[in-house]
Amino acid sequence: MNQSEVPPELQPLLLELFEGTLDAEAGDQLQQRLRTDPHAMALYIDFCEMHAALAWEHGQVIADITPPVVDYKTTGNRPARLRWMTAIAGTLLAIAVVTWSLRDSNAIPTGPVVASIEQNVHATMFAGQREWTQDEIRAGQYVLNQGLVQIKYASGVTIYLEAPAKFEAVDRKRVVLHEGRLSATVPPEGVGFTVETREAEVVDFGTEFSVEAVLGQSEVHVFDGHVRVQPKQSVDQSSEAVDLWTDEAVRIADTTRQASGIDLAKHRFIRSIKEPKAAYVDAVRDLNPTAYYRMPIRQQGLHCLPEEYSGRVLTGEGRRPACAPGFSGGSLRVGGRSIGRGAIVQNAPEISSEFTIMAWVYAEGRAKNAVLATNITKNNGCFAWMLDDDSGRMKMRVRDQDGELVECVTRETIELKKWHHFACTYDGDMLKLFRNGEMSESQPCESLAESRGSILHFGTNWRGRHRWEGRIDEVAIFDKALSHQQIDSLMLLGDPSQQ
Amino acid sequence: MRDTQFEFVQLLTSHQGRLYAYVFSLLGNVDQARDVMQETNKVLWQKSSEFELGTNFAAWMMRTAYYQVMAHRQKCARERLVFDDEMTAQLATASEVRTSQMEQRQKLLQDCLEKLSDKNRDLIRARYRDGYELVVIAEKMNRKTNAIKQALFRARAALIECVRANSEGPITGDAP
């Protein structure tokens, strides 16, 4: 019999006590038992402490530590120790009350658990100047140095935080975003969830919204539903709350504390890590691609259907994650402030006598010779899909069996910060390049160089140079040449609202 | 100065779990324990000048909490109280002896939660993390409420035993 084994007559009494259903008679019995049985008393305290510890561990005990009202008239006569106590009493609350001043960003969070980390995508997070590796988010201050985290609250609220970000988990219904990008999805159970920044307080009424806090301003973007934005009062004037509905966005500047309407940023925030079902995706699958890289946001790896052609995401210095909102779901982010350096597939699908490769592409810069995809390495491979030297136009360059190069180039410079559909086909005779469903150029090509055993790279060449600046999504490779009509049909299935 | 300020605040926050355990054991009622805990926090702030940093914060906090429990008993209707004054005093003495190991046990609890069976862990989370009533848990798990109540009790007992087994020294001494 272990020490925690509870005598049968004591068990129902403790059961009722913990559920708050102990009646007076049972209470008397419990008291009598504790008075006369030291072991029962020890057990009783064991259970009380365990109940309290569990409640604390899981964030059920939210202590509202309200400091007393400060009597400023007498403060000057108090001893020094009392003066600092009263000073912080006026400004500092430990839990559940938010203030901007005197919060210790170096403290290791020791408060109750308010949420948990669901996904960690190349994330490095610190709390109290130490790396935070726990799955729980306790009340306290955090710095997200790199990558992306998905945090889930018991109410069902999900938030995505993208590095670089500084935030404070206050309690189960409030987070303070000092700096960075945050997206929230709030189910009906989570209504009232609040995101606070230096300039405003955003209260949700069941919706999907994003907040970006940078030095001197905050932005709020509503993608679905309804939020209320209350700019914080400035020294010289008060500000009115603004109700935002679907597809509305505002910016609140630190100087004015007024909400000004701005354009909705559809492609800026990571709002989900799910790859949604889409007509375009289904249509691609119906055409039986040899390899389909949907670029989902994953903790590890570059996912492919089928799995055998999966690869690895390459990372380096930077802050933002190697993923971003894609044309559909997530995408591979390369360059800029991100840690993304492209991706590599060691076991690449063979590009042989016929092929098609297509992708949705988002450029944030026109780096010279920036590579979208290539299977060329030192002694192997047959294609490089890249930007032209100086013009910023997309081109496909293939190498034939004689080592000769054949190129197709689009007519237009790639437009920045916009999703484009590019496709390239080779049917054994002609190499064709398509942009947004229209053929840009075709060139005769009698054969392709051997590519068996080649390594595929996305967003970089095999030397790690000529990196793409932007995002790559929905890369599909076929062992046949799709027709112009098929490519045009696929392009038209792209959701116009994403454009 | 700033370090001293935060030291007090950190002491106050880091002792909240212990304070709740202490007050709950004296009152045997969840709602009353929360009320008294809040009152105690308020008084701790008000009397912060009496506390010397470096001395035993837990002892000071529990002494303050004990007086708040007694004050609460004065205001509370007799039928709402589980224990009489004498028993409350006995429980206070017994709890004060034990709570010095509370932080250590809280850390061990995290490991022990991982060692629980999936079923028991789900149960504990449903009750404490998600805050569901027993009847809701029973409905979600397709079991009877009484069975859930019993299972929850056994899960707590298993955790107590696990924490005890992993502690360096004995946790529970016999109460005086």
Side-chain angles (χ1 to χ4, degrees):
Chain A
M1 179 174 168
N2 66 43
Q3 291 180 63
S4 303
E5 201 158 311
V6 182
E9 62 280 11
L10 185 60
Q11 188 167 327
L13 300 176
L14 293 181
L15 271 172
E16 300 306 328
L17 180 89
F18 286 112
E19 298 313 319
T21 51
L22 191 75
D23 61 24
E25 190 183 342
D28 287 344
Q29 284 176 26
L30 177 64
Q31 178 161 264
Q32 189 59 25
R33 183 66 192 254
L34 300 188
R35 203 188 297 282
T36 57
D37 183 353
H39 179 61
M41 180 181 269
L43 276 174
Y44 165 79
I45 296 174
D46 273 342
F47 274 84
C48 286
E49 287 183 351
M50 180 51 67
H51 168 75
L54 286 168
W56 182 252
E57 180 68 22
H58 292 88
Q60 271 204 344
V61 183
I62 305 294
D64 185 4
I65 307 171
T66 308
V69 176
V70 182
D71 181 359
Y72 290 103
K73 288 177 185 170
T74 57
T75 300
N77 297 324
R78 293 180 183 185
R81 193 180 62 229
L82 182 56
R83 278 204 299 276
W84 67 253
M85 287 294 183
T86 51
I88 56 175
T91 52
L92 181 62
L93 300 182
I95 306 172
V97 178
V98 177
T99 62
W100 282 99
S101 58
L102 285 180
R103 268 195 302 225
D104 186 2
S105 60
N106 293 326
I108 295 171
T110 54
V113 175
V114 298
S116 57
I117 296 176
E118 287 272 297
Q119 297 274 349
N120 167 334
V121 183
H122 301 125
T124 313
M125 196 156 83
F126 290 85
Q129 295 185 328
R130 291 186 195 165
E131 188 166 359
W132 186 261
T133 54
Q134 298 178 31
D135 285 341
E136 293 94 359
I137 292 289
R138 294 177 178 276
Q141 307 264 6
Y142 299 85
V143 176
L144 180 61
N145 248 13
Q146 278 188 339
L148 170 80
V149 288
Q150 178 193 8
I151 295 173
K152 185 91 182 264
Y153 289 77
S155 60
V157 172
T158 297
I159 63 171
Y160 295 92
L161 277 152
E162 203 179 323
K166 291 179 186 169
F167 67 100
E168 178 180 0
V170 179
D171 59 32
R172 292 174 166 206
K173 296 195 78 172
R174 179 182 286 267
V175 62
V176 179
L177 183 66
H178 298 288
E179 176 194 339
R181 290 177 183 170
L182 177 154
S183 293
T185 304
V186 182
E189 297 78 20
V191 166
F193 184 78
T194 301
V195 179
E196 185 185 348
T197 69
R198 186 175 291 275
E199 289 82 21
E201 193 173 77
V202 184
V203 182
D204 181 274
F205 293 100
T207 186
E208 189 188 338
F209 68 98
S210 299
V211 178
E212 177 157 26
V214 295
L215 190 63
Q217 67 179 42
S218 300
E219 289 185 13
V220 183
H221 298 254
V222 179
F223 298 95
D224 184 29
H226 171 206
V227 303
R228 179 161 296 158
V229 181
Q230 175 63 66
K232 289 185 177 170
Q233 200 166 331
S234 63
V235 176
D236 54 351
Q237 62 183 355
S238 61
S239 303
E240 288 183 7
V242 178
D243 283 328
L244 289 184
W245 300 84
T246 302
D247 291 344
E248 293 182 336
V250 291
R251 179 183 295 131
I252 305 104
D254 183 32
T255 47
T256 63
R257 298 289 167 95
Q258 285 183 346
S260 309
I262 57 173
D263 291 339
L264 189 75
K266 285 181 181 172
H267 306 305
R268 191 190 307 169
F269 300 96
I270 294 175
R271 296 183 278 130
S272 173
I273 59 170
K274 288 181 184 164
E275 287 294 304
K277 288 186 176 180
Y280 175 84
V281 175
D282 290 341
V284 171
R285 283 183 174 151
D286 286 346
L287 293 169
N288 295 318
T290 311
Y292 191 11
Y293 298 90
R294 292 210 58 204
M295 307 297 184
I297 298 173
R298 291 282 174 91
Q299 285 177 281
Q300 289 180 330
L302 179 80
H303 182 253
C304 179
L305 279 174
E307 286 277 347
E308 62 182 295
Y309 298 128
S310 292
R312 188 159 56 88
V313 174
L314 302 170
T315 58
E317 293 288 312
R319 306 293 290 276
R320 296 212 182 281
C323 52
F327 173 77
S328 173
S331 66
L332 180 71
R333 171 155 42 190
V334 190
R337 294 180 69 196
S338 86
I339 58 173
R341 296 290 184 272
I344 181 170
V345 179
Q346 296 281 357
N347 178 35
E350 189 180 350
I351 302 292
S352 55
S353 55
E354 290 188 27
F355 79 92
T356 298
I357 181 167
M358 60 189 185
W360 284 95
V361 178
Y362 186 95
E364 291 177 279
R366 300 184 190 98
K368 199 172 174 180
N369 295 321
V371 172
L372 181 63
T374 181
N375 68 350
I376 289 177
T377 52
K378 191 174 183 182
N379 300 312
N380 202 348
C382 63
F383 82 91
W385 206 7
M386 56 203 290
L387 288 183
D388 198 23
D389 289 353
D390 298 311
S391 65
R393 296 181 298 167
M394 280 296 293
K395 78 175 175 191
M396 172 60 90
R397 172 190 286 169
V398 298
R399 189 159 58 189
D400 68 16
Q401 286 177 353
D402 299 326
E404 296 293 319
L405 298 178
V406 179
E407 289 186 353
C408 286
V409 187
T410 59
R411 288 184 284 269
E412 308 85 356
T413 298
I414 189 168
E415 195 177 344
L416 300 184
K417 297 191 175 179
K418 191 174 178 182
W419 284 101
H420 303 273
H421 186 260
F422 287 104
C424 183
T425 65
Y426 176 65
D427 60 8
D429 292 318
M430 297 293 289
L431 183 71
K432 297 172 184 172
L433 183 61
F434 300 83
R435 174 186 165 275
N436 292 337
E438 292 180 9
M439 191 166 71
S440 297
E441 191 181 4
S442 65
Q443 290 288 343
C445 179
E446 291 182 358
S447 63
L448 281 182
E450 179 69 36
S451 73
R452 192 185 304 245
S454 63
I455 295 170
L456 183 61
H457 284 88
F458 295 118
T460 179
N461 72 6
W462 66 283
R463 293 175 187 271
R465 295 178 187 161
H466 299 304
R467 281 196 291 267
W468 190 256
E469 283 284 328
R471 310 175 202 179
I472 303 169
D473 198 13
E474 306 292 331
V475 180
I477 299 172
F478 300 81
D479 59 1
K480 59 195 172 195
L482 297 184
S483 68
H484 187 169
Q485 189 182 356
Q486 283 173 314
I487 290 169
D488 191 37
S489 302
L490 282 173
M491 162 63 201
L492 291 174
L493 286 172
D495 181 3
S497 69
Q498 297 280 340
Q499 291 295 290
Chain B
M1 181 75 83
R2 193 179 167 89
D3 288 346
T4 320
Q5 293 170 4
F6 284 117
E7 201 174 325
F8 179 80
V9 173
Q10 286 205 325
L11 279 171
L12 194 57
T13 53
S14 64
H15 282 74
Q16 291 297 302
R18 193 190 292 197
L19 173 62
Y20 180 59
Y22 177 75
V23 173
F24 178 64
S25 67
L26 266 55
L27 288 163
N29 181 288
V30 172
D31 295 331
Q32 290 180 35
R34 286 187 177 154
D35 290 346
V36 172
M37 187 180 167
Q38 295 305 332
E39 281 302 310
T40 304
N41 279 324
K42 203 154 67 177
V43 174
L44 289 173
W45 270 109
Q46 285 165 344
K47 295 192 173 181
S48 53
S49 62
E50 294 173 14
F51 176 68
E52 294 280 352
L53 285 175
T55 61
N56 190 336
F57 183 86
W60 178 66
M61 176 188 74
M62 283 188 285
R63 195 165 61 246
T64 306
Y66 179 70
Y67 289 127
Q68 290 309 305
V69 168
M70 298 313 278
H72 172 81
R73 292 177 57 81
Q74 297 291 325
K75 290 184 281 183
C76 201
R78 170 73 189 88
E79 59 271 20
R80 289 188 60 219
L81 298 172
V82 179
F83 305 118
D84 60 24
D85 285 356
E86 189 188 341
M87 188 72 228
T88 305
Q90 277 188 38
L91 285 167
T93 309
S95 296
E96 283 161 17
V97 171
R98 297 154 43 102
T99 53
S100 62
Q101 295 166 318
M102 189 91 183
E103 276 72 36
Q104 183 204 353
R105 292 202 292 274
Q106 191 82 34
K107 282 178 190 154
L108 290 171
L109 174 61
Q110 291 170 12
D111 295 335
C112 287
L113 279 167
E114 291 303 314
K115 290 177 186 166
L116 273 187
S117 68
D118 289 349
K119 216 173 191 177
N120 277 345
R121 196 164 48 245
D122 287 349
L123 193 58
I124 290 285
R125 283 179 176 165
R127 185 73 177 90
Y128 287 97
R129 187 186 68 184
D130 304 333
Y132 290 128
E133 301 290 334
L134 289 185
V135 64
V136 179
I137 300 172
E139 198 176 312
K140 280 177 179 289
M141 295 188 171
N142 201 21
R143 295 171 70 184
K144 292 186 174 168
T145 305
N146 201 43
I148 292 294
K149 200 191 281 185
Q150 299 275 356
L152 199 52
F153 192 83
R154 284 196 296 274
R156 289 190 193 110
L159 286 170
I160 290 170
E161 194 54 37
C162 173
V163 170
R164 187 201 312 281
N166 288 291
S167 299
E168 287 169 8
I171 286 176
T172 311
D174 284 346

